[in-house]
Amino acid sequence: MRVGKRLLYGIANSFGVTLNSSCILVSTCQDVHHNLALEDWIYENASFVEPDTKSSFKWSRSLVLLWRNRPCIVIGRHQNCWVECRLHEALSDDVKIARRRSGGGTVYHDLGNLNVTVFTSRKDYNRKRNLSIVAEALKENFKLNVAVAQRDDLILNDKFKVSGTAAKLGSKVAYHHFTLLVNANLDNVKKYLSQSEVIFNILFRDFCFDQRFLRR
């Protein structure tokens, strides 16, 4: 089994087991604006509590969305893009700029980065639990030393940051989303983002997402 397929199945299975009735969705779209729109639509329309007249459908406990984007920069809800990234350089390289609805910092995405969004009720919102699920999946499937840091990041070998996290909390529904630097281009992280003092690393040097899995 390719490492990409093992990664996706491992994460999906871990969420399914831990959150019991979790539904896993894998986006086949690689456009950041479409994926953020999908994320926002689920947030606005799904219900993880007792259904009401304003909710289109109801999941019993949670929904997990796995998605990837072509090269882009995603800034937090309250951030200034001119401060957070080298805007003109990114646009000249055809790197898209997008603003998400959650808070948190600016991040770089490409196809070597896996995004995970966990939708739950506001009451069931738990960032450390979600990150621990992924950390345990990486340990079990790939023997990687990944742990959850105090600031709700994932740290590899007690040194390297491989994931950033953000969230949006509504009155009834919440989501927690985070990046996973599987095999992202770290040179582009330094090239396009203004704040580069954090030490990043990737999880795998030779990595291939299984496209057959992503098309299912």
Side-chain angles (χ1 to χ4, degrees):
M1 182 184 291
R2 290 186 180 184
V3 67
K5 195 171 184 178
R6 284 175 59 199
L7 175 67
L8 292 172
Y9 271 123
I11 291 176
N13 182 66
S14 294
F15 273 107
V17 170
T18 306
L19 298 186
N20 192 15
S21 58
S22 182
C23 176
I24 312 295
L25 298 181
V26 180
S27 172
T28 58
C29 178
Q30 297 174 350
D31 181 88
V32 60
H33 296 106
H34 284 80
N35 280 323
L36 288 175
L38 172 61
E39 185 180 64
D40 190 52
W41 186 90
I42 295 173
Y43 171 77
E44 294 290 349
N45 290 276
S47 174
F48 304 96
V49 290
E50 291 300 318
D52 54 48
T53 57
K54 296 182 180 180
S55 296
S56 299
F57 58 89
K58 175 179 179 291
W59 303 105
S60 57
R61 184 171 181 186
S62 67
L63 185 154
V64 178
L65 175 66
L66 304 177
W67 46 293
R68 295 186 302 150
N69 295 317
R70 291 186 294 274
C72 62
I73 295 169
V74 184
I75 63 175
R77 180 172 183 170
H78 305 292
Q79 291 189 303
N80 184 330
C81 61
W82 283 272
V83 173
E84 299 297 331
C85 66
R86 299 178 179 91
L87 189 63
H88 296 296
E89 188 170 358
L91 294 176
S92 65
D93 290 343
D94 200 28
V95 174
K96 291 186 176 181
I97 312 293
R99 184 185 297 277
R100 62 180 186 271
R101 293 188 66 190
S102 64
T106 296
V107 291
Y108 168 79
H109 290 182
D110 62 23
L111 295 178
N113 174 77
L114 177 65
N115 300 294
V116 181
T117 307
V118 184
F119 299 88
T120 63
S121 66
R122 172 68 180 262
K123 185 177 180 179
D124 203 24
Y125 167 80
N126 189 326
R127 294 210 277 196
K128 290 192 181 299
R129 176 199 60 201
N130 300 334
L131 292 168
S132 295
I133 290 172
V134 174
E136 289 302 315
L138 292 171
K139 290 178 183 178
E140 181 178 347
N141 291 278
F142 303 102
K143 311 302 180 185
L144 293 173
N145 179 23
V146 178
V148 182
Q150 187 174 1
R151 294 185 61 184
D152 293 339
D153 300 318
L154 288 179
I155 304 297
L156 175 68
N157 295 332
D158 300 319
K159 181 179 181 180
F160 302 108
K161 181 176 177 179
V162 294
S163 176
T165 193
K168 181 170 178 59
L169 281 67
S171 59
K172 293 184 178 180
V173 177
Y175 67 75
H176 166 220
H177 55 189
F178 51 96
T179 58
L180 193 59
L181 294 174
V182 179
N183 191 17
N185 188 330
L186 296 185
D187 289 336
N188 282 348
V189 175
K190 298 176 183 178
K191 180 180 180 180
Y192 299 125
L193 300 190
S194 302
Q195 311 299 324
S196 57
E197 69 276 6
V198 178
I199 302 176
F200 292 95
N201 204 344
I202 56 176
L203 294 171
F204 305 100
R205 295 295 171 185
D206 300 309
F207 184 90
C208 183
F209 277 100
D210 194 309
Q211 295 298 322
R212 291 171 298 175
F213 179 91
L214 291 174
R215 285 197 295 266
R216 289 184 180 181

